[in-house]
Amino acid sequence: MNPPTPHFPPPARYGWIRPRWFLIGLAVGLGSLAWSGWKISRTDYHPGFTRFHSLISPEGNYYPTLDEMCAIVRAKCRPDQILVIVGGNSILLGVWQRGEDIWSKRLQELLGDRFCVINFAFRGGSPTDGGAVVAEALRREFPRQILIINEAPVTNVESFGHGPYRYIFWQAYFGGKLMDAAPREKQVREYLRDNPDQRLPVLETRISIWFDSALHYHDFWNWITFKYFGTVPSYREEYFPHFLRPRRVYPDPEVDGTDPVYLEHHYPVSALDAEMRIMRGLSAFYHREADGRWVLSERSTSDLAMYSNEAFPAPLKRRTLVLISGNSPYYRRLLTEGERAMVRQTFVDTVGIWRRVGYPAMDYGWDYNADDFGDRTHLTKLGGWKLAAQVAPEVSALAERLGYFR
Amino acid sequence: MIFTTYWFLLFAIAAMTVFRLLPGPVLRQGWLAVACAVFHWHFAGPAGVKPIIVLMILTFLAGLTRRGWVCVLAMIASVAALCFYKYSLFLIGSAVAPFSAALAAALARLAKSVMPGAPPLGVSFFVFEFVHYLFEVRRGGEPIRNPVKFLLFAIFFPSLVAGPIKRYAQFLPSLGEAARSPFSSADLAEGLARAGLGFAKKVLIADQLTAYIDYFQPHFDEQGFLGQWIILAAIAFRILMDFSGYSDIAIGCARILGIRLPENFNWPYAARDLQDFWIRWHISLSLWIRDYVYIPLGGGRQGWPRRSLNALVAFALCGLWHGPARHFVLWGVYHGCGLGLCATYARIPQLGRVVEQVIRRDPVIGWAVTQLFAWLGWLLFFYPTAEAWHMARQLFGL
């Protein structure tokens, strides 16, 4: 005897569906969307692109794809120009600088028409994020290229991106667009071995990239959300109620740090302790000799050298200009003389190590004044323009050394 | 979340395609069993699979004996496993801690040392289906003798994560027919349409409402009258779209394989009274509670006071089933009280008759009262009791 079946409601009716036409329609619709996505992935829909500001970047829940960024490069940069891609973090992104005053624009003016400067830095990005991935993916199409990145002193750089921007690296990595680099492969393997909780998310990313390579839905939906209507909220308080608006109409929210209105926000008392702790914390990597010299510990030296050496594939090191970002004198002056010497030494050592392993490197900010900074590290328009003036000759010289003018 | 992963999409395409390409029921059912095991292993991990395997073997063997006491013992083992994995910390905190904090701490430490980090995936659904199976076998139902079929009943991947809670007498014939029948474009089309509807509900509506609620709910007090009621509506529609979306995906995926799963939702926000609501909301759970808790307790056979008490107990358990927290129990009791009132209000002298006549004359009033009751209940479901009470008072300007 079988038990009685309870009275579930009748199944939902789909009698209106004609199976054959439905399946043909589905196939045709999916094919059309995939074809549209493929076309879009080769189209630049960011006219007048300046940077991925917070409302068109992952922090605003908009995830630019690798293809989208490559399309911007192709649209902006002529084949006869030397491509200069700016990567790195919020400092090079130009936080505290309005889009029209951004330092990378000034760099373009100073370098002239022989160069094409494109800013792909992200807030909280690492040197191997966004811009670095795009540059490497385009190495054959744009062989005359220079990558500008930045980092804080005594910071180890992973070769496969960082945090919320690592998806761009995975897109290139699993999409087969990067060079073979054994040290990077090793770091990826070790990362997955040491972080078992990341194995499934990375597998998930890998499968999504596999699907996307056929269907191009990431590019398609980015295009829709940028040009026509928002498909996901931005999570930014002031924009949330209007999240259906296309992202192209969202203004670049960065403000001019030199505007008197914002001066009082530069160095808030509430941030003082934390900022000083960051600077003083660098002493953890150092010991002081009897003669008063600050010496970087052996472990930190070898780690920094190893990570810097492996951050980029060997053939790409020479075209990668590393900037070690300085601190505002507002905070530096609060350090004791000994602490100031220690902080200075961190810059000297970090630049030295990056150079030793094969990168052109420089630090900046020691001769800037407090108005050049919007906070401890970010530059205002004044500081940004000083940085552009300092970097432009280095870029030109680097292009010369690499034989790009021949 | 599981259905909205790329891994699931890839897995489902492979599993369903191969199922349809294989000839004969034996190969098809064998393949489906392997696919379901892979699915379960992938998402539950070894720690989540082991207890389910033990319970599965126990249930299967107990069913084969067809002895009442063996089935009862196996049911007790299943329920004990559910209590252990899902409720032990809650029970220790609620029942032991008030008397001895030290003993509660020691028991909690002991429980944590032997438990996996999280309860085994879908353990509540497993236990409910096993109890149903054993209950019916004990009552004289035919046991499942084929271990592959039993395995498929237990870990059929579309319904493993969030139901619907299956009945084996309904599932097995459908499975057999699907394994025998040739490819059906109607099943494929209807299954795709249903699963697509589910994905749309989940991703396009529920997830967006979640973002809206996450943003505005912490500022609930600062919202105006309309804003607060919009948040309540968003909460109500979020859970409907999320859960019914999941059910649609499960039913759609099963349909692509040619298997019919029971419906789980039937326009619950169109219900005109609370009984009607529970006939339309999470139907497979409501029917399970009715058949295996409410009716065995005596149902409505022993007068309205006992009937109300039975409903209260059944719904308290229903609430607890949703999670190990007091507010879930309260939500269940809230609905139990509501159902008790719904069944008995007409007996209230004078007032009851008037209310009944008003509702009969204008069904919209019944609908509005029912929805208001159900929607306010979601506050209790989603938020700690004090916060839910505070939000409810704000909604009425109190």
Side-chain angles (χ1 to χ4, degrees), chain B residues 37-319:
Chain B
V38 169
F39 175 91
H40 191 201
W41 182 270
H42 178 79
F43 285 111
V49 166
K50 279 177 206 163
I52 303 302
I53 290 177
V54 172
L55 286 180
M56 209 156 40
I57 293 170
L58 195 68
T59 306
F60 177 65
L61 295 177
L64 285 182
T65 66
R66 302 188 73 171
R67 288 175 193 273
W69 65 271
V70 179
C71 290
V72 169
L73 282 181
M75 275 190 261
I76 290 170
S78 284
V79 174
L82 177 64
C83 291
F84 173 71
Y85 283 112
K86 201 166 167 181
Y87 301 108
S88 49
L89 293 177
F90 170 71
L91 291 173
I92 290 167
S94 306
V96 184
F99 303 104
S100 167
L103 179 63
L107 285 173
R109 264 199 309 278
L110 182 68
K112 279 179 187 167
S113 68
V114 289
M115 273 198 300
L121 177 72
V123 65
S124 315
F125 289 98
F126 281 115
V127 168
F128 273 35
E129 289 186 350
F130 291 162
V131 168
H132 139 71
Y133 172 72
L134 292 164
F135 196 100
E136 296 301 343
V137 170
R138 180 178 162 270
R139 211 154 54 175
E142 196 65 37
I144 306 171
R145 297 185 188 284
N146 183 331
V148 175
K149 285 185 180 171
F150 185 81
L151 183 76
L152 282 171
F153 167 65
I155 59 166
F156 182 57
F157 77 85
S159 64
L160 192 153
V161 185
I165 299 167
K166 304 184 294 296
R167 302 295 177 103
Y168 82 99
Q170 192 179 45
F171 176 75
L172 290 182
S174 184
L175 173 70
E177 200 182 316
R180 281 191 302 273
S181 61
F183 168 77
S184 154
S185 59
D187 280 345
L188 178 62
E190 290 182 19
L192 284 173
R194 188 70 187 265
L197 176 70
F199 277 110
K201 280 182 179 177
K202 164 82 182 127
V203 178
L204 296 184
I205 302 176
D207 288 353
Q208 306 304 325
L209 287 175
T210 300
Y212 179 85
I213 295 160
D214 286 350
Y215 180 74
F216 282 107
Q217 191 277 331
H219 310 287
F220 191 80
D221 290 0
E222 300 149 31
Q223 306 303 313
F225 175 79
L226 186 63
Q228 290 176 336
W229 281 92
I230 288 174
I231 292 173
L232 181 70
I235 290 168
F237 275 93
R238 189 262 303 263
I239 187 171
L240 175 65
M241 290 295 132
D242 194 86
F243 199 1
S244 72
Y246 246 74
S247 293
D248 285 335
I249 298 170
I251 292 167
C253 286
R255 186 65 191 266
I256 293 171
L257 292 164
I259 296 167
R260 261 67 163 177
L261 287 182
E263 291 294 326
N264 223 10
F265 290 87
N266 186 22
W267 300 92
Y269 292 157
R272 290 179 181 181
D273 62 53
L274 210 52
Q275 281 172 331
D276 189 21
F277 178 83
W278 278 102
I279 291 170
R280 294 160 177 267
W281 179 274
H282 202 172
I283 300 161
S284 63
L285 175 68
S286 312
L287 291 176
W288 191 98
I289 296 272
R290 184 199 68 183
D291 293 346
Y292 303 114
V293 180
Y294 178 70
I295 291 175
L297 282 173
R301 293 190 297 272
Q302 289 151 317
W304 69 265
R306 180 65 189 267
R307 177 185 178 176
S308 300
L309 181 69
N310 290 342
L312 211 59
V313 172
F315 270 89
L317 288 174
C318 170

Side-chain angles (χ1 to χ4, degrees), chain B residues 376-395:
Chain B
L376 288 173
W378 294 130
L379 296 179
L380 212 48
F381 187 87
F382 283 110
Y383 303 104
T385 315
E387 193 178 353
W389 176 241
H390 174 76
M391 287 168 74
R393 285 178 56 192
Q394 291 276 314
L395 284 166

